[in-house]
Amino acid sequence: MSSATDVLTRKPKNIAIETNPSHELNVVDTDVPEPGPDQCLIHVRATGICGSDVHFWKSGNIGDSVIKCNLGLGHESAGIVVKTGSNVSRLKVGDRVALECGIPCSKPTCDACRTGRYNACPEIIFYSSPPVHGTLRRYHVHPEAWLHPLPDSISYEEGALLEPLSVALAGIERSGLRLGDALVICGAGPIGLVSLLAAHAASAAPIVITDLDENRLAMAKSLVPRVRTVQIQRSEDAKASANRIKQALRQEAKLVIECTGVESSIHTGIYASRFGGSVFVIGVGKDFQQIPFMHASFREIDIRFLFRYRETYPKAIMLVSEGLIDLKPLVTHRFTLEQGKDAFEAASNPAAKAVKVQLLDD
């Protein structure tokens, strides 16, 4: 398709958004990469800003993953193939794709890859995790094996949202959520909202979602009208917040999906759980946190965690294309690549009232 390759002539600059150890945010011009034999050159058409991108910019690290040099951000992307390597056979120029950004080693000697838990691969490369540059750029080279074709019914914006949806689907699956389970979702940010959409599709009931921001709770209500909302007050202790959640739920929670990583929110989730319930932590927080240990112990509350996802993209594409999950309302702010700094300011400033900020390149 000529329209796909023409972009290389029309837009020769490979604009990218980078941060560095000094916590600066820069819009830079980088070289257009050449795809290797098993790779495709992608014109990235939509990329969402993840909370981890903001965290790397502001804090310089997530756990042991530390920024020590310039780092290109972004890993929520979709685009179009504009060039293919010599061994590429499944995809062709002009194909629209979503990018899965965790690339495992796939060696037969790797226990994680061999057993299907490739998110645990010790040699995994994850774009935007130091020192590997991310996909928030105009042109990006990506292995064909980790590109997922998009049906015509899914836009580039929705294709980029398949990454946070993958996180939610992995959490839903690992948590063991079942039909009719009483669920609490802590945090109505992008991951909390896609978790709400996934849990609603899985027929969890009843569902309570919490947040500090009434606008995000209103967004949750517009996405799933039957959801019950509880606005968290900063001045309120975790037990009091949990009591209000249980009142809204009209019972104690069988499952809590914690999407903030904030210590007080995790405490609230634990106090809102029933005997034998589970608190499933998806959110990224401080390296070390305290928990109400004996409360969780006396009530046999399981506290579990999630690391990224595996084998979720095909399911995510199916759920969106079949109309079971509607991602369109989540994108509230759109910017061009050249407006990268403004985009990150919107994503990191509560006053902007952003849910999902995306950078688009036509």
Side-chain angles (χ1 to χ4, degrees):
M1 293 174 64
S2 60
S3 59
T5 54
D6 283 350
V7 70
L8 290 166
T9 302
R10 291 189 295 106
K11 295 188 174 184
K13 289 185 177 181
N14 190 15
I15 298 173
I17 316 300
E18 294 184 350
T19 190
N20 57 34
S22 299
H23 309 288
E24 297 171 325
L25 196 68
N26 298 307
V27 179
V28 300
D29 186 14
T30 65
D31 293 334
V32 177
E34 188 70 20
D38 300 308
Q39 298 175 322
C40 295
L41 179 64
I42 306 299
H43 175 205
V44 181
R45 297 290 300 273
T47 301
I49 296 177
C50 176
S52 64
D53 294 318
V54 174
H55 202 85
F56 273 130
W57 165 39
K58 297 280 191 177
S59 301
N61 75 292
I62 295 177
D64 294 333
S65 190
V66 181
I67 293 180
K68 298 179 181 179
C69 57
N70 289 346
L71 179 75
L73 297 168
H75 55 265
E76 301 177 3
S77 294
I80 186 169
V81 177
V82 294
K83 198 171 185 179
T84 59
S86 57
N87 293 340
V88 171
S89 59
R90 183 172 58 91
L91 297 172
K92 64 184 185 304
V93 171
D95 283 348
R96 301 165 64 255
V97 292
L99 286 62
E100 183 170 353
C101 285
I103 314 300
C105 72
S106 300
K107 297 174 183 176
T109 54
C110 176
D111 182 69
C113 291
R114 190 178 66 252
T115 58
R117 298 180 65 89
Y118 64 79
N119 58 323
C121 172
E123 296 182 34
I124 196 168
I125 292 171
F126 195 87
Y127 293 111
S128 79
S129 183
V132 182
H133 288 305
T135 59
L136 186 41
R137 58 191 59 236
R138 177 166 289 148
Y139 301 112
H140 166 77
V141 160
H142 204 82
E144 179 194 26
W146 300 97
L147 292 168
H148 300 274
L150 293 175
D152 292 341
S153 59
I154 295 182
S155 68
Y156 291 117
E157 292 186 14
E158 292 170 285
L161 285 165
L162 294 173
E163 201 278 342
L165 177 57
S166 283
V167 174
L169 293 178
I172 293 291
E173 183 171 341
R174 182 164 155 75
S175 69
L177 179 72
R178 295 182 179 181
L179 180 80
D181 279 354
L183 171 68
V184 173
I185 299 173
C186 296
I191 295 297
L193 292 175
V194 290
S195 296
L196 171 63
L197 290 170
H200 174 61
S203 297
I207 304 174
V208 164
I209 191 167
T210 72
D211 205 274
L212 292 164
D213 189 338
E214 60 182 351
N215 293 294
R216 290 194 167 188
L217 293 176
M219 167 70 85
K221 197 75 174 175
S222 69
L223 292 172
V224 179
R226 71 175 178 87
V227 72
R228 304 167 190 179
T229 61
V230 172
Q231 186 173 7
I232 300 299
Q233 307 298 324
R234 293 186 187 276
S235 59
E236 190 173 52
D237 66 31
K239 285 186 177 180
S241 295
N243 285 335
R244 290 198 294 119
I245 290 168
K246 288 184 285 188
Q247 289 171 6
L249 200 64
R250 301 193 187 103
Q251 59 186 287
E252 294 176 317
K254 182 176 181 181
L255 174 66
V256 175
I257 297 180
E258 209 297 312
C259 299
T260 73
V262 175
E263 185 174 296
S264 60
S265 181
I266 297 170
H267 293 183
T268 297
I270 291 171
Y271 288 128
S273 296
R274 69 171 64 170
F275 189 100
S278 297
V279 176
F280 201 88
V281 183
I282 295 179
V284 174
K286 296 184 299 183
D287 288 0
F288 293 92
Q289 301 193 30
Q290 294 181 327
I291 61 168
F293 180 88
M294 290 312 301
H295 178 88
S297 174
F298 282 0
R299 292 174 63 82
E300 291 189 359
I301 296 170
D302 294 333
I303 302 171
R304 306 181 69 194
F305 297 88
L306 178 75
F307 183 66
R308 296 177 184 155
Y309 43 81
R310 66 180 190 276
E311 301 295 348
T312 50
Y313 266 78
K315 183 184 293 185
I317 290 169
M318 181 273 293
L319 288 169
V320 175
S321 63
E322 292 291 324
L324 293 171
I325 291 180
D326 182 9
L327 299 173
K328 296 184 186 72
L330 295 178
V331 182
T332 56
H333 292 62
R334 297 169 176 85
F335 296 85
T336 65
L337 287 173
E338 292 83 356
Q339 296 171 316
K341 291 184 179 181
D342 293 335
F344 270 81
E345 288 295 338
S348 61
N349 184 0
K353 302 187 187 308
V355 174
K356 177 55 68 176
V357 177
Q358 284 193 351
L359 292 100
L360 309 177
D361 194 60
D362 58 21

